[in-house]
Amino acid sequence: MKKIFFGSATLCLVTVLAACGGEGDSSYSNTSKEGDGVSGTLDFYTSQPDADAQGLVDAFKKQNPDVEISIFRSGTEEVVSKIQAENQGGNIQADVLLVADSVTFENFKAEELLLSYQSPEAEFIDEAFVDPDGTYAGTKIMATGMIINTNEVTNMPDSWSILTDAATKGQAVMPSPLYSGAAAYNLGVITRQDGLGWDFYEALRANDIMITQGNGAVLESVATGEKNYGMIVDFLAARAKNDGSPVELIYPKEGVPVITEPVGILANTENEEASKAFVDFILSEEGQKLASEQGYTPIREGIDAPEGLKTLEEMTVLNADATELLETRNDDKAEFGKIFGE
Amino acid sequence: MTAKPPKAEERKKRDTSFSLFFQSKNLYKIIGLLVIFVFFLLPVLRLVWLSFVDDGSLTMQYYTEVLREPATWKTVKNTLIVVLGSTILALVLGILFSWIVAYVQLSGKRAMQLFIFLPFVIPSYITTLAWTQFFSASGPVTAMLSWLPGDLQAPNLYSIGGIILLLGISHYPLVYLFTVNVFRKIPRELEEAAATSGLSKQRAFWKVVLPLALPGIASGGLIAFLSNLDNFGIPAFLGTPANIRVLSTYIYEQVVGFGPSAFSRAAVLSVILGVIALIGTVVQWFLLRRSRVNETNRSDSTPRIYLSASKQKLLEVSLWVFLLVTSLMPLITMGALSLISAYGVPFKLENLSLRNYEYVFLTDSKPLTALSNSLQLGFFTMLVCLVIGTAVAYLRFKYPDWSTRTAELFMTIPYALPGTVFALCMIFMWLEPIPGWNPGIYGTVWILFIAYVTRFLVLQVRGSYTAFLQIDPTMEEAARTSGAAGWVKWRRILLPLLFPGIVSGALLVFLMALTELTVSSLLWSSGSETVGVVIFGYEQAGYSTYSTAFSTVLVLGILFGGGLFMLLGRIWDRKVLKTK
């Protein structure tokens, strides 16, 4: 096996370069629908899991076979710093951006890097999740709930207060807002709620909650029984449960912070037409059904959530103003760092 | 295309070293340094520039701001403790193992060598996961301690000590790789001479063997030091729960922050990190001053120390226990995870399947593409580094003046910076090398290639330089006076002597490029996925079982490749010995 690869490795790099240009395995033969005539190339930067981003692009290309889309996928933080670096370097390459949370988009909006586009499809989306200036719109609903290890815990809690209960001292885990944009968003939202606020975080600290790098690490920790309770983004917990991990997903009754994986178009896009068509597709009924099939709660009204997740109507959403969250983001992080003892 | 300029440059350089190096010596120096400056220093300078600029005007405010914060100094202090601690651990383990493998009569050495490499090629997220499970409340260590009398607690890995331990264990193979050939080349006659002059074994080790082995130890130590400095995975995983920050994680925190000052603050911290890296390089020069060159020897693999049968058994057993815990345990953890359907289900027969492997290698097309991309990138990176790195090492060895030293310093920096920061530097530099002109490198596989060569070249330079340091300069003169000049001299005399050291460097470059993660995660593009990018993607999507399946195959493949490589090494040794 190895030998075969080495054989191929001795082929000149030029072949790699050639392979870079096009994806050799896409056939355009069976396009049943008439596309709306957009063409050209698109650079799509996203933090969605690879398979989901690929599925989205493939579905779009079925309708618009003349568009070539190249995907760059990485963590939200990596995607954002890449765009910032491109901006410093003189020319942003991305056309369409889809990353975790609205505050990130508010940040780009403040720097005037986003194009304003009122998609007709956005009418079917709760206006709380759409930027009134049209620079971004949510594409799905991702709540942060609680994940519980069912081997260790028999009584399922229904409130965030279990995490601050002295009986669970040292048994809980949460992602660090210092590394994860989504966790920083949650921090901003929760600290602005009556009944939770900074007191909640101070109580978490007093209860010895473990801070870990990201949602993936929270899942590992709770599923393996290292800890029994965790704060986690809902679809990860639901999927692990479906795969057979001994975990349960809980939507606490006080409500849940929600990130919406918004999509936006970069102001200096070289292909405005195709970018707009792509955004329309993501927000359209078909695009939203696809999101549901991929295991996410859709954001558009009238489309069912997948097995194990709640729809928007079934959950209490904790909200906060995105522009305000942006202004206080760095202070919130610093305050968090203070509480958790730097 | 893009790699051409340095190649041509190297050729010029080498011509001068072959012909008599007098006429336009300084001109070549300047040209050489210029090329190195453009490729290695300019990208970093673009980042440094950000630390001085605020809204288009020069300012020192970021420095005053960052340097005034107590958090900065605490981070620097943590970094120094962690990096020095883990480097010392890596040095002790690396020297110990290489000395034993080089000198002591043991059976099963070749298998041992392969296991020594394992911690280095297993991705750090797997290493941390395996160790934390190993030491967790439900893990084997706690179980063993509970049988023992007294109230013993398993050590807490989420601590400075834990970070030092895992970094040291992950990086001691680097020290081993650089020193084992050096030990083998120390002539046994010297030790015998020391013994007859009445030196005890220990005194002889300190007085004779160690000074002669210094080139390898200093090189290996430096590379381990730099690797500990730029490692992000281990301190992030183990340091976050304990609120321990080191520079690499603190820089990442700044980079992902919002607002115009994010990059500038990260740049200031990167400058601090760069200064620490340079100090390390300079310390290494002082160490090398004390090293001695002896008459040239070919490496000699026959053992020099024979133990009694019982002692040998004891040593073998204790070495294997160490290797099993540090190398095999993470591998088994990884293998076990890759066979179960989900995290947390008990490891029973009914829960085991090859489903994850099926998905990774049959359903999903990306991993195989990524594997072939990474192999090709690794191979070509290795090739280019082999040529350029060895040429630079030769010049560094032959003309140890300010220019070659400066060149070496330039090359150290890209390797020492955390991957995220280095990738940002690459974007600043290659998106529009000259404002307004985009040569189309960025967004293709070429940017990865340039990034890898720039980042890993120093490994080859160190490897080759260590090999050169062990060659007596008179060898070259002897070759020349016997009428072997130019290429013949290299082919017949120098290369055979240098081969093991140079290959160690090349192997390291290849493995690093093959498993690289942080730089690739910012620079890859459609069609140029690398192994690291795919693993990172699975991890982030919560498909840890897939990423472990892929990693397991990768590590087993590397082991298999390593076996082949050692076989080739044996054949080479025989061939060279025959031609003698």
Side-chain angles (χ1 to χ4, degrees), chain B residues 136-414:
Chain B
S136 72
S138 53
V141 173
T142 310
M144 273 195 298
L145 289 175
S146 64
W147 294 334
L148 296 172
D151 190 21
L152 291 167
Q153 292 284 319
N156 178 13
L157 282 181
Y158 298 107
S159 63
I160 290 240
I163 299 174
I164 289 177
L165 177 73
L166 287 201
L167 282 173
I169 283 172
S170 301
H171 293 142
Y172 87 88
L174 292 167
V175 179
Y176 172 88
L177 192 68
F178 278 97
T179 47
V180 70
N181 290 319
V182 177
F183 275 129
R184 281 184 180 147
K185 280 193 168 177
I186 295 173
R188 58 179 66 216
E189 295 81 12
L190 281 177
E191 283 182 87
E192 283 154 14
T196 44
S197 340
L199 281 177
S200 68
K201 270 257 174 264
Q202 262 141 3
R203 291 282 312 265
F205 177 79
W206 287 107
K207 288 264 174 219
V208 179
V209 179
L210 213 55
L212 286 172
L214 257 184
I217 292 170
S219 273
L222 177 71
I223 297 296
F225 171 83
L226 296 177
S227 307
N228 289 326
L229 194 61
D230 85 310
N231 189 296
F232 170 80
I234 292 171
F237 192 94
L238 295 178
T240 312
N243 289 311
I244 297 164
R245 282 177 172 153
V246 295
L247 273 171
S248 62
T249 57
Y250 196 38
I251 289 173
Y252 183 84
E253 277 180 36
Q254 302 301 326
V255 167
V256 305
F258 283 158
S261 69
F263 275 11
S264 301
R265 288 175 53 93
V268 173
L269 291 165
S270 303
V271 169
I272 298 176
L273 188 135
V275 169
I276 295 177
L278 291 181
I279 291 173
T281 314
V282 173
V283 165
Q284 179 244 177
W285 289 345
F286 280 108
L287 277 177
L288 279 182
R289 278 202 175 159
R290 304 201 35 213
S291 74
R292 285 175 262 163
V293 177
N294 55 301
E295 69 275 27
T296 305
N297 269 281
R298 61 180 62 266
S299 72
D300 166 2
S301 304
T302 45
R304 308 177 185 194
I305 295 172
Y306 293 90
L307 299 166
S308 65
S310 60
K311 269 193 179 162
Q312 188 184 326
K313 265 277 161 284
L314 184 71
L315 181 64
E316 277 171 19
V317 168
S318 47
L319 287 182
W320 275 111
V321 167
F322 178 83
L323 287 176
L324 290 184
V325 171
T326 56
S327 305
L328 204 60
M329 187 262 305
L331 182 63
I332 288 176
T333 308
M334 188 162 83
L337 270 178
S338 70
L339 290 171
I340 56 171
S341 48
Y343 264 112
V345 295
F347 193 73
K348 285 189 198 134
L349 205 55
E350 66 261 26
N351 291 332
L352 301 188
S353 73
L354 288 172
R355 210 185 57 152
N356 299 320
Y357 287 89
E358 189 187 16
Y359 178 85
V360 169
F361 291 101
L362 298 174
T363 314
D364 192 351
S365 64
K366 289 231 162 69
L368 283 178
T369 319
L371 197 58
S372 116
N373 284 342
S374 276
L375 281 170
Q376 293 178 58
L377 272 167
F379 181 78
F380 285 102
T381 306
M382 179 180 85
L383 222 55
V384 171
C385 284
L386 192 69
V387 175
I388 300 177
T390 307
V392 170
Y394 179 73
L395 291 173
R396 173 87 182 80
F397 165 72
K398 199 94 170 112
Y399 310 101
D401 64 358
W402 62 269
S403 62
T404 52
R405 284 213 174 129
T406 319
E408 189 191 356
L409 279 182
F410 285 1
M411 287 176 187
T412 306
I413 294 290

Side-chain angles (χ1 to χ4, degrees), chain B residues 42 69-70 103 135 264 270 291 358 371 400 433 486 501 526 548 555:
Chain B
L42 204 56
E69 288 164 4
Y103 290 167
F135 279 98
S264 301
S270 303
S291 74
E358 189 187 16
L371 197 58
S526 270
T548 47
V555 171

Side-chain angles (χ1 to χ4, degrees), chain A residues 17 71 82 86 239 245 340, chain B residues 243 343 442 446 522 526 541:
Chain A
L17 195 66
I71 304 172
K82 184 177 171 102
E86 288 177 359
R239 194 162 54 197
S245 289
F340 284 83
Chain B
N243 289 311
Y343 264 112
Y442 182 71
W446 291 101
L522 271 166
S526 270

Side-chain angles (χ1 to χ4, degrees), chain B residues 22 77 85 120 280 292 312-314 432 446 462 464 499 501 527 547:
Chain B
F22 57 83
K77 191 180 125 195
F120 178 68
R292 285 175 262 163
Q312 188 184 326
K313 265 277 161 284
L314 184 71
E432 288 187 353
W446 291 101
R462 299 305 328 168
S464 301
F499 190 75
S547 66

Side-chain angles (χ1 to χ4, degrees), chain B residues 1 50 72 88 108 116 140 156 278 316 337 388 460 540:
Chain B
M1 301 166 3
L50 287 180
T72 308
I88 288 168
I116 289 171
N156 178 13
L278 291 181
E316 277 171 19
L337 270 178
I388 300 177
Q460 183 68 58
Q540 282 206 314

